[in-house]
Amino acid sequence: MSGSVPPDAPDSAGPGRPPRGDGHRRQSRRVAVTVVSRAVFVASGLVAAYYLLPLENRGTDLTSVALVLGLLAAVTLFGWEVAVIARSPYPRLRAVEALAVTLPLFLLLFAVAYFLLDRSAPGSFNEPLTRTDALYFALTTFATVGFGDIVPRSQAGRILTMLQMAGGLLLVGVAARVLTHAIETGLRRRRHDR
């Protein structure tokens, strides 16, 4: 049979490409564990930073600047992740990692903004926000659950919430499409390289 590889032949996939056969399954598992571990580590680090950073005495101007810079960093990170996905031998795993890092970053940025807004302008919400309350509000807003137990009262709080809603829709809609395209590109490249 021409083109067939004997089972005992050395792996010929080449550098940067997934190996074939049993070695491929082992390496795929190893890569999956690495990707999931890295995503959990980064997400945990972001949550830990959220709870540990001294945020209590920050002003409204700093809140706005921090949110804008944070969102720009999230968009930049997401763009870099899309490029990595398209070149990766494991594009699906890299897409999962991209979402597992970008989504917590997005939610935590808004949680910080809500927390700082409440500190700098008391009464912006129907009750004073702890860090956990702010994160809870950011998550329920993103998930479109909106239980109504925490609601923005000030114009700044409502504008910030609307920005999060619009950003969440973009993250879900546009990011899903961009990630899907990057995965397809990566899979086509992987098939072509074989």
Side-chain angles (χ1 to χ4, degrees), residues 43-53 108 131:
S44 299
L46 288 170
V47 172
Y50 170 72
Y51 278 102
L52 295 174
L53 287 175
L108 289 167
R131 289 181 198 231

Side-chain angles (χ1 to χ4, degrees), residues 58-60 63 111-125 152 154-158 160:
R58 305 291 184 238
T60 311
T63 302
V112 166
Y114 294 136
F115 181 77
L116 292 176
L117 176 63
D118 188 58
R119 288 292 179 264
S120 64
S124 290
F125 295 88
S154 70
Q155 293 301 305
R158 290 178 177 159
L160 190 56

Side-chain angles (χ1 to χ4, degrees), residues 28-98:
S28 292
R29 272 188 239 119
R30 189 174 29 245
V31 169
V33 167
T34 301
V35 165
V36 170
S37 299
R38 191 169 42 221
V40 168
F41 178 75
V42 170
S44 299
L46 288 170
V47 172
Y50 170 72
Y51 278 102
L52 295 174
L53 287 175
L55 300 173
E56 279 72 22
N57 300 319
R58 305 291 184 238
T60 311
D61 293 338
L62 181 61
T63 302
S64 303
V65 170
L67 180 62
V68 168
L69 290 176
L71 289 174
L72 286 174
V75 167
T76 303
L77 173 68
F78 184 75
W80 175 78
E81 287 282 1
V82 167
V84 169
I85 291 165
R87 292 188 315 265
S88 173
Y90 302 97
R92 290 183 188 111
L93 288 172
R94 291 300 302 213
V96 168
E97 181 181 23

